[in-house]
Amino acid sequence: MKLSYRYEQTSCRLRIDGLPDLSAGHGPEVIGILSGWELDLAGHPSLEGKRDHLQALLAVVLPYARHLVSSVPRPMGAATDPVQMEPVSSSRGGLRNRQAHRLRLLSSQPETQPLELSFDDAELADLVRCLDQLRLDPRVQLGFSLPPDRPLHRREILERVPLRQRLAAPAAGLAALAITAAFGLMVPLPRRTATPAASPAVTPTSPLTPPR
């Protein structure tokens, strides 16, 4: 009753092995109990581990790729987590300052150095597609507890705009205000002209009539 499913892309191949969980009412083609998994990446050693490592891989790589697509790349995974990922600069392919992505895996075995793998955008896209295929496969019912997909926070969206561009509008407004104030000081005020004094009004008097 052992089942095995593969998810393949150009530079990545993921295979999971398991059994149906009959106590959960799974059919004969559903993996409900994970017995092993293996991830083959082009130019890198094969990866394998327990269920916790596969879940940690899903919980780090997928949110990392989502932030990258939203133009807000940021590291994922704490220093003590078994899987960590972060953007780095690379000179791979003879091009300097090219963005790459570093995957860091901590082994559960004592006295074992962490394994670090570097990907370019195409290799990361292949890895994300394989993990998405696993996550969305109805034949795999492993109940991974992954963080829900939520919209980016307002602060994260603002971070996509370069600081220079964010400060351009306020700076232009202040400059326009300063120029307007300078021109206002340069324009002379109109002088007040002296008006002639008004002659006192003479009220006409009726002529005296001689007495009769």
Side-chain angles (χ1 to χ4, degrees):
M1 297 181 62
K2 182 179 179 180
L3 301 174
S4 180
Y5 295 132
R6 290 187 178 184
Y7 312 95
E8 298 185 4
Q9 293 294 322
T10 303
S11 61
C12 179
R13 181 178 64 188
L14 174 63
R15 190 193 80 245
I16 62 169
D17 304 321
L19 303 170
D21 189 357
L22 300 180
S23 62
H26 292 164
E29 297 182 354
V30 175
I31 293 182
I33 301 175
L34 183 68
S35 59
W37 61 275
E38 184 177 4
L39 179 62
D40 294 323
L41 302 167
H44 300 290
S46 298
L47 304 178
E48 58 183 13
K50 301 179 181 179
R51 171 195 170 93
D52 295 341
H53 296 92
L54 181 58
Q55 176 170 325
L57 190 66
L58 288 165
V60 167
V61 175
L62 296 182
Y64 176 85
R66 178 169 170 268
H67 279 74
L68 184 66
V69 171
S70 301
S71 301
V72 193
R74 61 181 52 209
M76 290 292 172
T80 57
D81 291 344
V83 179
Q84 306 158 26
M85 199 163 196
E86 61 181 351
V88 294
S89 59
S90 174
S91 59
R92 188 175 178 180
L95 298 176
R96 295 185 178 181
N97 298 328
R98 185 179 180 182
Q99 186 178 17
H101 317 280
R102 181 167 58 197
L103 182 66
R104 191 167 185 263
L105 305 171
L106 300 181
S107 176
S108 57
Q109 301 296 329
E111 299 181 359
T112 302
Q113 294 297 326
L115 178 63
E116 294 186 353
L117 308 177
S118 181
F119 305 101
D120 58 18
D121 291 338
E123 293 169 339
L124 176 61
D126 288 343
L127 174 59
V128 171
R129 290 191 185 101
C130 287
L131 296 178
D132 267 336
Q133 292 174 9
L134 166 64
R135 181 174 63 95
L136 301 175
D137 192 347
R139 301 171 302 175
V140 180
Q141 302 292 333
L142 295 174
F144 291 122
S145 57
L146 301 177
D149 294 334
R150 296 179 178 177
L152 298 178
H153 296 288
R154 179 180 178 85
R155 177 177 56 83
E156 294 175 322
I157 296 176
L158 290 176
E159 289 178 359
R160 294 186 301 181
V161 182
L163 181 60
R164 182 180 299 177
Q165 185 175 350
R166 278 184 280 167
L167 296 179
L174 292 176
L177 180 61
I179 293 174
T180 303
F183 275 112
L185 294 176
M186 293 172 60
V187 175
L189 296 177
R191 296 181 179 179
R192 298 182 60 183
T193 58
T195 58
S199 57
V202 177
T203 57
T205 58
S206 59
L208 299 176
T209 57
R212 292 181 180 179

